Each structure stands twice: as C-alpha cells, then as structure tokens.
Amino acid sequence: MAAVQWHSRARNYEAEVQGCRLEALPVEFGDYHPLKPITVTEAKSRRGGRKGSTSSSSSSSSSVAPDPLSSMLDGTDPLSLFAAASASETPPALSHSTGPAELGRKRKEKEEEVAGDFEPWSAKRGEILARFTTTEKLSINLFMGSEKGKAPSPGSAVSEKVRTRLEELDDLEEGSQREMLNLSQQDYVNRIEELNQSLKEAWASDQKVKALKIVIQCSKLLSDTAVIQFYPSKFVLITDILDTFGRLVYERIWSMCSDSRLLPDSFSTEDVNDTAKETCFNWFFKIASIRELIPRLYVEAAILKCNRFLSKTGIQETLPRLTAMIRGIGDPLVAVYARAYLCRVGVEVAPNLKDSLTKNFFDLLGSFRQIHGDSVQNQLVLQRVEIPVYLTLYSPAINWILQCVSYRAPESLLTEMMERCKQIGNNALLLNSVMWAFRAEFVAARATDFIGMIKDCDEAGFPKHLLFGSLGRSLACADPPESERLPILNEAWKDYINCAEIWVEFTCRHFTKREVNTVLSDIIKHMTPDRAFEDAYPQLQSVIRKVLTYFHDFSLLFSMERFLPFLDMFQKDSVRVEVCRSIMEVFIKCQQEATRDPVILNALLHVCKTMHDSVNALTLEDEKRSLALLINGFIRMVSFGRDFEQQLSFCVEARATFCNLEPVMVQLIHTVNQLAMETRRVMRGSHSRKTAAFVRACAAYSFITIPSLTSIFSRLNLYLLSGQVALANQCLSQADAFLKAAVSVLPEVPRSISIEGKLRSSEGFLLDFINNFLSTLLVVPDHPEQGVLYLVRGLLNMVQDYTWEDSSDAKVRVYISALHLLAALSQESYLYSIPKVDSNETLYGGDPKFVAEINKLCETLIGQVLDHLKTLGRDEGVRRQGSLAFSLFGCLLAHGDLRNNKLNQLAVNLWNLSHKHGYCDTRTSVRTLEYIKHQGQQPSMSHISEMALRLSLQSRA
C-alpha cells in the first residue's frame, strides 16, 4: 500500500459544542413534572366477526408500563399493595387453612408481642448451654419397656383399650433398662436430640404411647444430678422435648375440637366437642398414672394448656396443685428448676395468673435452708464441687422465677419480696438474682439499701464483687438519687477489678472526666503489681469500650492524664492492637470536624503507630487493608488550616511512621497534592514566590515517596497525578520530571497482576493509564532543550519496545489513541488548556515545521496500524481486524482532512474492511452512516456527502 499523506482537518471546538446542544423548548409551569405519569392515547379498531358488520374505531387512554416513583405517589407501590392484601385476608380465627405450623407461628408471634420488655426464655436458652458445660463423662438411663404389648382387636370395648394402655404404661416402668455410659457432652446432646426426633417420628406414625414413653423417660433424667455442674444445660435440653410433646398434644386435640371448622384462638369450652374432651381426659389420666413424682409433674406441666379444652378454670386450679407437688422434691437444685419450668409454662399459657408465680417464689425462699444441709454437702464432697460453683447453678432458675414474678408487678409486691429476702439472712445468691430480675429503676431508687444488704452477706459462698457487678448493671441503666451517687461509687469501688468494668460505666454516665480519670488511676494502681493486668485483659477492654461510649470529645478524653498509661497495660500485642482499633473506629465515627489539637494528634499518632508496628511478614492482606483504612481515616481528619507548612511537616512525620503500609503512603501523597492545590488557591496573587517554593516542596515530597511503593500502577497513577498538580501550579520542571518518571516506569509493568488473590492481565489497566497520560500531554509544553514532542515520542517508543501479549491488539490501539492526540496538537486553538501555562499552541503558533512533524508522526502510526491489519486477515483474526479497522475509520472521520483523496479512499477501504466479514455492530454502523450524511449537508463538507455514497452496510452471510 502506498504511503499515506496525513492532513488534520481544522476543528472549531466551540462551534461543534454548540451544534451538539439540545434544543430548548418553552414549557408552561404545571404542564410538566418529571414524576407525572405518562399517558398515551391509543386508537383501536374493532372489526366484527360476522359478515356485514361495520367497523368502528374507539379512542381510549391507557398508561404505559407504570413508573415506580409515580406508582408510589398514588399508593400502588409493592408495600402498599401488600398491606392492602393483608388487610383483606380472612382473619386467622375464621381461616379454614390454619394448621399446626401456622398455629405455632402465631403462638410465637403472640409470645413476642406479649413479652415486650420481658426477656423470653429463648434468649436465655443459648446462654445457659454455653455457660454450664462439663468435661466429665455423662450417662443416660432409659427404661423403654419390654415391647410385649399387643394392639387390641377392633371389637374391643373402650374399657379394654384403657386397660391395655395402662398395662403398657406399667410395662414402661417395669421394662428393660438401656444405659448409655461414658458419653461426652456433645454425645449427650446428640442423644437427646435423637430422642426429640424419635418423639416426633413416633407421633407422626400414630404411636402415641411410644411418644409418651419417651417423654416420661426423658423427664426422669431431671432427677439425676450425677454431674451436677451440667444440670442447668441438661434441664434446657430435656425441657425442649417436653415443649415439643406439649405442642403436639395441644395441636392434636385442638384439631379435633370442631367438625365443621378449626377453632379460633379465643375458643371456650362450649366450642369443644365430646370427642376432643374425651381425648384430653385420656391424656390427663395417662399422666396421672405415672408413679414417680418428677416425670408426672413435668409431663402434666408440659400439657398444662390442654386444660382449656375441659374447663374455664382448669389452669387456674391446676397451677396451685402442681406448685404444691414440687414441695415433695428433696433435692433443692432439682426443685428450683422444676419451679422454673412451671413458671415458664404458667407465664406462657396464663400470664395474668400471678398468684401461683408468687407462691412458687415464696416456697423457694422456704427451701433455701436445704442448700446447707448434710445431703447437699455430702453430694458436693463426692463430686468435688465447691460451694460458690454450686450456688451459681441456681442462678438461671432463680433469675427466671424472679423475672416472672416481678414483671409489671406493683411496688408493694417487690418491696415485700425484698423484705422476705432479708428475713432469710440476706442470702447472696438470692440477692444477686433480685438485682438481675427487678426493674432497674426499682433497684436504683434503693441502691443504698442494696449496698447495705451486700455488705451484710457472707462472702464465703458468693463473692461480693459479683453482687456489686449486678448492682452496677442496674445503675448503668437507671439513675440513683443524685445525692447518693458518690457514696455509692465509693462503697462499690472497695470491692474491685471484677466489678470495675461494670462501675466504670456508672462513673462515665454520672460524673466528669476528673472522676473517670481517678477510676482509671485506681485500676492502674491495683492491676500493675505482679502484672495482674495480664489476667484481666477482657475486663480492661470492657473498661475502654465503656469509656469510649460516653466520651466522644477526644480532646477531653486524651487530656485525662491516666488514659494513655491505662493503654500501656495492654502488653499482649494482639489485645493492644484490638484496643487501638476500637479507639480509632470511635474517632472516625464520632469526630465531626478536622482537628489540629496537639493533644489529639500526639495521642492518635501513638495509637496508629501501635497498629502499624504490629504489621509483619505474616500479616494477612485483609488485616493490612483494615489497619490502613483506620490510619487513613485519621490522616484525613488532620487539618492545620492555612498553616500549610505545618500540614506538610505532619505528612513528613506520618511518612516516617507508617512506611510499612502502602495504602497509607498513597493517602499521604494524595493529601500533599491536595495541599499544593489548596495553597495555590488560597495564596493566589500574594506571596507568589513563597507559594511557588512551597508547591515545589510538595512536589519533592511526592517525588521522593512514590518510588517506595511496590504497586506498579500506584506509582504510575501517582506520577501522573503529581505531574498534573505541578503543571496546574506552573511548576513546569517538576511536572516534566514526574511525566518522564512515569514513562521510565512503564517497561516495568508485568503482563499479569494479582487482584484479590487472582492473576489478571494487566493490559486493560495499562491501556487506561496510557490514554489518561496522552490526554495530559496535550497541555504539556515541549522542553526547550529537548526535541519536538519528546514526551509523546518517548511514550510511543516505550509502547513499541514493550512486550505485549502475542494475540494482543493493545499496541495498535495505543497508536490510534495517539492519532487523536496528534490531531488535537496540530490545531491552532487547543480543546483545553491550563491557566498561566503556555502549551505548544502558544509556543509554536501553528508553525508549519511543527505541523509537518506531527503529520509525519501520524503517517508512521497509520502505517503501523495498516501493517497490523494485514496480519489479521486469517480466520482467527478477522473479528479483531474488523474492530480495529472501524476504530481507525472513526479516527480519520473525526480528525482527518478527507478532502485529500488518498485519505478519503483509505477511509472508504477501512469501512469496507470493517464490514467485510459482518462482525461490525449494525446499530453503530447505521448511526455512524447517519452522522456522515448529516455532516455532508454542510456547505463545506460536500466531500463527506460524496464519500457516504460509497459506504455500504454488509451483514455476515
């Protein structure tokens, strides 16, 4: 192909911009609103089906697809539709489709609704299982019967059926024993879960007696206290099975209650038919025949709600009887958990019946003397369990009972309960539960009385620091009388670090930084000897978190002289870093304005340095990224106002401090570049020499720092950004140095880079950078001691020498992008410029020699592109050939002077080549052709119109 003679066409950028503006039309106010629904008029014609009918047309107004914003305005959004649909549904009480699953869901919703601020059992269950564990071996003893019973014949009388069922229950208690020994805690939990599943399967297969056997045997396990420290968790696991059984029995009877429809939740005994009542009686008779007290008590409590089917007052009459039955249980630990289960069931099925709850509590008080009896003491000796550990086993049950009794209870009842507690000698265990369960306001109003009761307690069985901790939790939620606050704090603080984490919140809530500083000083005093702090890191961390919760003014926080020494107690690296992280998270979240406070800066530099110094070769990338985000958040909040030199000094210090975290170094370079731009803006027109010197100092900072970065694209982008900043500040030599450095780094770009642990080709990132770089070169003036366009030539030489991928067109695409730049450089007036910077348009003033150099370079680049297109003529390259040909055609159309016959013909050839194999996007081709025809209508563009006649659209055969 003959050499191409390139000539750029003259561009009038302002005229082109004006020609692309949308036409403005006057709009009456009120006729248009962006959220107003669009309405169209659709003309429809109906034609009759039978011969002779006349056709008529009707016009109807219909809306197009609804706009979500306009739909929201008229109430037809999805949430409104859902609410409307829900409102129109049949009430649950009248629904015929309500089944057991739906019933369970409604019961759960009702429980949550009734509970309100009452903490449900489900919230305590997981805590108990996690707290009461054991490493000792466990066992399960099950008497599952001899399985010798047989089903009665169909003609048997009802009495015969009853006799058979009773015999089966007798067989249950006299049958074979199955014992599982040496179970780990997890094995035990798995076995209990298997029993729960067996219960459901037996019920589903209509083996009701087998289901009852499972429940009875599981209930018997609650009389076993062989591994006593595991008993609370065992109680949770077994009562889960009881709850399942109670639900199954209730839903079974409820489904039998009416022949025509299911009963509403608010049914009465008159709504229950005889079949359901007889079935309910049978269940209670079966349970009454259980000989042992504990399983009979638990199983009847599990189906307590079924009394609703038999009598209006059934539950009210049954609760006192079951409460009295518990008095027959000799082991006080077993008895207290039986009371807890009865209270739980009672609150669920009859929350208004408070008398039985109160009776359970007062019976509980009467049984406390048993704890110190010989039977319990001998058992603890055998199991080698200390009395403080044993007493903590009671806490979940007593806390629950007290919560049930005290929930929305009148002041008189709570006061009576306190007095009854005093009468049994201020039992520490009971007192602790009272402070946990009673309303915080009640405890706070009587805080002095509670402190007196705590002081009178014997510490041997229950440590006083636990009591003070429980009191502190209440006082952190409610305010005691103001006159009593300081005496309360002084008394509580005597007990120490185990409750310090609780009482520091009370101090922060009600006192000033002076008192908080005193508290921190006192903690340091107690925890420093013998390095006691090493055993109290969780409590010390809790202290820090609570201080940070109440002190968001960091100048106030760091002015506490004991705060930083308190941080020094965290000697373990992982804990120390975690504490520093929590401080920085609160600072970034709560600091509203940038700061220059030296107290804050010095303290946070120390905190951030601690995080930075924890980074080593083994630190994970995610951890580095997380720490860098926190440190960068701090750097962004530092501002010295117009004291730019001080700001730069801070960045210099930060660079030395955080050199191991590359994202922080990148942030610092961005900060310095912003500082340079801000300096020029603020100091414009005054002290120009001083300002220029400072900007050069900023440039020097960046030029020194960028090479320390390991990420190649971070270096490239920051060189370019810093060069742009220097150029904007008229520091031409510094800008030239940055751009030359960027060109020199380009050969180091690897062919693949790691992104989130995966190798990806770097080609796309490199092309983006080069295009950005080319855009900057339009306004960069040539260096007086270098040749014409030396930076452009240097970049193109690098592109020529770079080792691109074998199947890559990236190099040619860079050449096409360079053609756009060169065409813009040849214009008399450039598309954009930098104030007070003379670009090449001013330096050369359209000199013919300069334009000739540009044209010569363009011809070389076009020749390179055409040579590459020839190599893509084979089958595997025709798609790439078409795409590149169309890109070069677009360049010629936008920038080439197509009055030149050779350029015009080359453009036509490129169009045809791009469409030759049908891979060119048809929509793009059509729109391009329309644009060419539109341009050809201008008087000076007739040659374009003629060229359009030779361009044809082709599709792939």
Side-chain angles (χ1 to χ4, degrees), residues 192-203:
I192 296 297
E193 180 56 36
E194 289 174 6
L195 287 171
N196 200 352
Q197 189 61 32
S198 298
L199 167 65
K200 296 176 183 177
E201 293 172 357
W203 191 272

Side-chain angles (χ1 to χ4, degrees), residues 110 164 174 197 661 753 758:
K110 182 178 180 181
T164 302
E174 298 170 358
Q197 189 61 32
L661 288 173
I753 56 176
K758 297 180 179 179

